[in-house]
Amino acid sequence: MSEATGRVVDGSETYKLEVEDLEKHFPVNSGIVSRILRGESDQAVRAVDGVSLGIREGEAFGLAGESGCGKTTLGKSAIRLLEPTGGKIYFDGTEITNASGAEINRFRREAQIIHQDPYQSLNPRFTVYEWIKEPLDVHGIGTAEERDARVYETIEQAGLKPAEAYAPEYPSELSGGERQRVGIARALALEPSFLLADEPASMLDVSIRASILDLFKRLQTDLGLTAVYISHDLSLLKHMCDRIGIMYLGELVEVAPADEIINDPKHPYTQALVSSVPRIDPDEDRERIELVGEVPDPVDMPSGCRFHPRCPRIVQPEGYDFDQDDWRAVVNLRRDVLAGDVDPEAIRRNRDDDEASALAIRDAYDVPDRLADAAADDVLDAALSDVLAGDSNDAADVLRREFATPCESGPIETHQVTPTQEAACVLYDEDEPYTLE
Amino acid sequence: MSTDTDTTPQGAVTGLEKRIEQLRDGLGVFKGDRLGQIGIALVLVFVFVGVFARPITIEFLNVTIPGLAPHDPNARAVGGRLEPPSLAHPLGTTQLGRDVLSQLIAGTRVTLLVGSLAAFMAVFIGTNVGLISAYYGGWVDDVLMRITDIVYAVPFLPFAIVLVAIVGSSIVNIIGAIVLILWRSTARVIRSQVLSHKQRPYVESAEAIGASDVRIMYKHILPNVLPLAFLYAAFAVGYAVIAEASLSFLGFGDPNMLSWGEMIFTVYTADAIRQAWWWVFPPGIAITLFVMSVFFIGRTLEKVINPELRHQE
Ligand code: SF4
């Protein structure tokens, strides 16, 4: 499709679907026992945490990220299948955040969803005909004959031919690919202008995946639909979409045209994600970026940039000059010291040493015996001596103060990196001299 | 099942034919299940006897189908007092000279009526309570489930005796008392089923097209939990019959409605239990057989709902 144009910065562009600071938190510990034992808790899984995004009229937008990053929750909240806990939603310029009654009904006619699991998303007690006709009944569209004709028309549109043969079938008699087409036909019955496809091909056989995706592409062009595809598969999204947004732990970290996301990702998380996509082009020598560390607990989010516990490009503290890999290692060590999790005795036992030592601790965290920057090394040495002496608090104070990184504090702004590409990362803050290259 | 090859049927089949096909598939579980077959056969016999127990007159055709009962069950002295079985009275007579066989046949009708009506109403209420409770959740669920808990705490017989003592022992009141207790188990089971169905993506598919709550509950979820309701209905028939018999035996039955329980009650009050075995055994055996056969049917139906049971044989 066409090369996507830059976002109109003054905000005058109208979007098909726009969300502003959208938030969906799921409460945890809401069971009666824990409520009594621990009191009302305000802990929540922050599945979607302040996402702002505009989907343009007629575009195919891809939403990517690891599983559990909140992409499906974002999609479903944006079309009000889940009730957002914060933020605003606009559809065709009209706010629908709290719409109800006739207003939400009108929206339901316009926005449809294709579910991930074709085996679970069709009601086993409905025939294909009944299932596709239901939306027409619910919205009272046309006369009985018109509805009937529309059902057969959409069945064919979804690629099930002859429609008469499929109409009386129950889902249990259909294959996965056929069921997914039935789901698509139902979504199309109301002639919507917006389609959310939640991993539409991931549960299907590889052999039929391509044909389903082609169907989507064709329908989108033929019907002029605006579509959002949710997938963890970047190469699939590149094939399907004009623009792609990358999510990490409930936040949108980068949005850019599909080509740029794949060929020139800006956000360190996107870079890691893209580097793990198998390449067809053998000339391309791209280093695979291994992400270390665990995905943090969504209840207890890291401060600042949520990616900082794993980010290979995490910004160095002012006044020091590390080798970047060493710095990453030091950050890991620092994090554990701050959390009071470094136990020299355990490290000694693990390594079977005679005596706990600073070198052993460094080694356990892959920190070199001497850092290139002498001043930094002195700070680390002092901190490690404190740890060995049992003064974890002193060590934590020193490290917290000296090795502070802008990545771990404050809200991380989203920066317009190129006219078409935006990323939420301090590396692109023009007022600050963080840029490494 | 779902293969890619056999999915294109020849020509269109109407939805109705499909439904019948599904029903036949459902009844397929009775194949090779001896107890289930016995259950169905027995219930059919009972239903036949119940329907044709007394003469039926069709006014405008001016015909009367003769009843199965050889005598009027309430007519006294059709034979001698407490006569043992003979050719004239295959099951003997009561202490007032009534024919026991005729009483047994007439009692079938009352038993069937009480059993099916009470079971139907109890399952109807229970299914709706469970469905609404699970679907809406929140305070609706809290209120309905607390009520269910309270009903669970009520013992049947004392409750029914007090109720019948207050409002009088008519067949309607007895059915009412049974229903008021019997719905609780269906409510709980249906609720838990609905809770699991509510999570399934097909419900979200219904929400996405803007279907109303009522539509989602009754058109989408209900058909999926209905087999379970049928199962509970089968068991409920059994329980209702036992409950009616117990009440009647304790003397709280409808005096105008001759049921099996009522028969045993009369034997007992006539102080003839030790002596007139021909009077006690028939209603006792009838109750046992009927309850057993509905449980056999229920047990077979359970395999439709819970297919793993089919492999456990
Ligand atoms: S803000 Fe810092 S930690 Fe986050 S992605 Fe950018 S460089 Fe990495």
Side-chain angles (χ1 to χ4, degrees):
Chain A
M1 280 207 189
S2 66
E3 196 61 20
T5 47
R7 178 185 170 139
V8 179
V9 189
D10 64 14
S12 67
E13 186 177 355
T14 54
Y15 293 105
K16 186 75 195 166
L17 180 72
E18 189 181 5
V19 296
E20 236 178 66
D21 286 325
L22 196 72
E23 216 173 68
K24 177 66 184 173
H25 294 182
F26 295 101
V28 287
N29 290 337
S30 51
I32 188 122
V33 176
S34 57
R35 242 185 285 164
I36 292 165
L37 290 180
R38 289 174 233 172
E40 199 62 59
S41 97
D42 54 354
Q43 271 196 323
V45 174
R46 302 193 293 192
V48 174
D49 209 13
V51 170
S52 297
L53 174 67
I55 312 294
R56 301 188 185 117
E57 183 86 47
E59 84 171 330
F61 189 91
L63 214 45
E66 294 163 300
S67 61
C69 70
K71 53 192 191 298
T72 298
T73 310
L74 170 61
K76 289 184 178 172
S77 304
I79 60 168
R80 292 268 319 264
L81 276 181
L82 295 171
E83 286 308 319
T85 45
K88 290 195 165 80
I89 309 167
Y90 299 90
F91 188 75
D92 279 338
T94 322
E95 189 177 344
I96 55 151
T97 323
N98 299 309
S100 61
E103 230 179 318
I104 191 77
N105 249 351
R106 214 173 313 130
F107 170 66
R108 293 268 178 252
R109 277 186 67 166
E110 291 294 320
Q112 285 296 318
I113 181 171
I114 309 289
H115 282 95
Q116 171 177 22
D117 184 349
Y119 295 91
Q120 294 271 316
S121 59
L122 306 187
N123 192 327
R125 306 270 162 181
F126 278 58
T127 63
V128 170
Y129 179 85
E130 292 166 334
W131 189 240
I132 297 172
K133 187 157 169 283
E134 193 189 20
L136 302 170
D137 292 339
V138 166
H139 292 279
I141 287 162
T143 62
E145 296 88 64
E146 282 166 0
R147 288 181 211 176
D148 191 68
R150 177 80 191 131
V151 171
Y152 287 103
E153 188 189 345
T154 32
I155 296 179
E156 301 225 333
Q157 236 174 10
L160 295 174
K161 285 170 197 165
E164 290 74 26
Y166 284 97
E169 296 288 322
Y170 281 96
S172 59
E173 293 154 316
L174 304 177
S175 69
E178 288 168 331
R179 290 181 201 209
Q180 196 59 301
R181 284 171 194 269
V182 172
I184 295 170
R186 174 170 156 110
L188 292 179
L190 288 169
E191 303 181 63
S193 57
F194 179 88
L195 206 58
L196 174 71
D198 180 12
E199 304 252 16
S202 67
M203 316 253 318
L204 300 177
D205 237 44
V206 186
S207 55
I208 27 182
R209 219 174 265 182
S211 67
I212 293 282
L213 294 177
D214 282 347
L215 174 68
F216 272 115
K217 273 201 130 170
R218 209 183 61 232
L219 288 172
Q220 219 195 333
T221 348
D222 291 357
L223 306 176
L225 292 173
T226 306
V228 169
Y229 296 97
I230 296 172
S231 179
H232 60 272
D233 182 349
L234 270 180
S235 46
L236 180 151
L237 289 181
K238 177 173 187 274
H239 169 73
M240 301 285 296
C241 299
D242 305 316
R243 286 196 304 154
I244 293 177
I246 308 287
M247 278 190 82
Y248 185 75
L249 286 182
E251 291 182 335
L252 204 56
V253 296
E254 180 164 3
V255 178
D259 290 338
E260 279 160 56
I261 283 273
I262 304 294
N263 299 325
D264 185 18
K266 297 296 186 199
H267 193 278
Y269 176 66
T270 317
Q271 290 166 350
L273 211 58
V274 168
S275 78
S276 66
V277 175
R279 313 288 301 186
I280 313 160
D281 190 352
D283 310 334
E284 192 116 18
D285 69 318
R286 188 195 296 270
E287 205 188 323
R288 203 186 146 128
I289 306 169
E290 290 288 348
L291 282 185
V292 288
E294 295 161 32
V295 178
D297 177 0
V299 176
D300 184 20
M301 290 288 190
S303 63
C305 172
R306 289 186 181 173
F307 189 47
H308 87 255
R310 298 166 80 197
C311 179
R313 293 180 64 190
I314 182 168
V315 171
Q316 303 195 3
E318 243 170 297
Y320 298 100
D321 183 18
F322 294 83
D323 175 79
Q324 183 64 23
D325 287 346
D326 295 346
W327 167 232
R328 178 68 252 176
V330 171
V331 174
N332 295 344
L333 171 55
R334 171 177 178 266
R335 179 196 56 219
D336 283 359
V337 172
L338 260 49
D341 277 350
V342 176
D343 179 1
E345 189 50 31
I347 294 174
R348 181 197 65 76
R349 241 179 292 122
N350 246 339
R351 292 161 46 97
D352 228 1
D353 284 349
D354 295 335
E355 187 170 356
S357 70
L359 281 186
I361 299 176
R362 284 181 186 236
D363 196 45
Y365 283 87
D366 283 331
V367 177
D369 297 349
R370 270 212 76 74
L371 292 168
D373 184 325
D377 200 70
D378 289 346
V379 174
L380 186 61
D381 223 29
L384 289 181
S385 318
D386 282 343
V387 170
L388 286 171
D391 282 338
S392 286
N393 285 343
D394 287 356
D397 283 346
V398 172
L399 287 180
R400 183 180 296 122
R401 187 170 15 102
E402 285 303 317
F403 290 168
T405 160
C407 295
E408 66 181 354
S409 57
I412 304 293
E413 308 263 325
T414 300
H415 301 282
Q416 198 72 42
V417 184
T418 73
T420 55
Q421 209 165 355
E422 47 188 283
C425 169
V426 295
L427 289 174
Y428 302 102
D429 192 343
E430 270 154 23
D431 304 334
E432 302 281 346
Y434 297 135
T435 321
L436 294 166
E437 279 83 9
Chain B
M1 294 271 128
S2 61
T3 56
D4 276 300
T5 45
D6 62 0
T7 46
T8 323
Q10 281 87 42
V13 194
T14 65
L16 186 70
E17 278 174 55
K18 280 269 159 194
R19 300 254 144 145
I20 293 168
E21 211 174 278
Q22 265 203 336
L23 192 68
R24 201 172 326 120
D25 283 353
L27 290 178
V29 286
F30 283 100
K31 240 188 245 156
D33 184 325
R34 262 294 126 71
L35 289 179
Q37 288 168 352
I38 293 174
I40 285 196
L42 279 175
V43 165
L44 287 178
V45 171
F46 278 116
V47 168
F48 178 79
V49 172
V51 170
F52 295 105
R54 305 303 317 279
I56 302 171
T57 312
I58 305 172
E59 294 272 348
F60 80 114
L61 285 180
N62 212 4
V63 285
T64 303
I65 303 167
L68 289 169
H71 302 276
D72 180 345
N74 290 321
R76 293 184 184 198
V78 292
R81 293 183 156 231
L82 290 177
E83 261 177 33
S86 63
L87 266 185
H89 302 288
L91 292 178
T93 61
T94 73
Q95 107 275 23
L96 293 177
R98 290 170 171 151
D99 182 46
V100 174
L101 177 64
S102 301
Q103 291 207 326
L104 186 71
I105 291 175
T108 312
R109 190 181 267 188
V110 177
T111 306
L112 285 178
L113 199 75
V114 172
S116 50
L117 274 183
F120 175 78
M121 294 200 297
V123 169
F124 181 83
I125 295 174
T127 303
N128 278 290
V129 168
L131 189 58
I132 292 169
S133 188
Y135 184 76
Y136 285 108
W139 66 265
V140 176
D141 191 28
D142 281 341
V143 169
L144 289 177
M145 282 303 114
R146 286 306 78 76
I147 294 175
T148 311
D149 288 345
I150 291 168
V151 175
Y152 254 101
V154 176
F156 173 70
L157 276 179
F159 166 78
I161 289 170
V162 170
L163 189 80
V164 167
I166 295 171
V167 298
S169 50
S170 73
I171 194 91
V172 173
N173 292 342
I174 290 172
I175 292 179
I178 296 173
V179 169
L180 281 178
I181 297 292
L182 205 54
W183 63 271
R184 59 192 183 185
S185 50
T186 315
R188 271 206 188 158
V189 179
I190 293 289
R191 174 178 175 271
S192 73
Q193 275 276 301
V194 173
L195 280 181
S196 107
H197 274 273
K198 209 175 98 176
Q199 305 297 328
R200 303 205 183 161
Y202 76 78
V203 171
E204 201 177 71
S205 297
E207 284 165 6
I209 60 152
S212 63
D213 288 343
V214 172
R215 188 182 189 93
I216 294 175
M217 279 194 288
Y218 289 96
K219 286 209 82 166
H220 287 265
I221 299 178
L222 182 63
N224 283 293
V225 298
L226 216 49
L228 194 69
F230 282 140
L231 171 68
Y232 270 73
F235 289 132
V237 170
Y239 288 123
V241 167
I242 293 172
E244 191 275 340
S246 316
L247 272 182
S248 298
F249 174 70
L250 292 174
F252 295 94
D254 185 335
N256 303 316
M257 289 283 197
L258 186 64
S259 72
W260 295 334
E262 191 88 21
M263 282 174 78
I264 303 178
F265 169 66
T266 324
V267 191
Y268 184 73
T269 47
D271 209 6
I273 281 202
R274 276 161 214 283
Q275 183 189 351
W277 53 268
W278 60 86
W279 188 6
V280 190
F281 282 165
I285 292 171
I287 292 173
T288 315
L289 270 185
F290 183 76
V291 171
M292 255 167 58
S293 44
V294 290
F295 281 172
F296 285 160
I297 293 177
R299 185 181 149 280
T300 310
L301 284 180
E302 204 161 19
K303 290 190 231 169
V304 187
I305 293 146
N306 197 352
E308 287 117 69
L309 285 176
R310 276 190 236 187
H311 305 297
Q312 285 177 8
E313 319 237 298

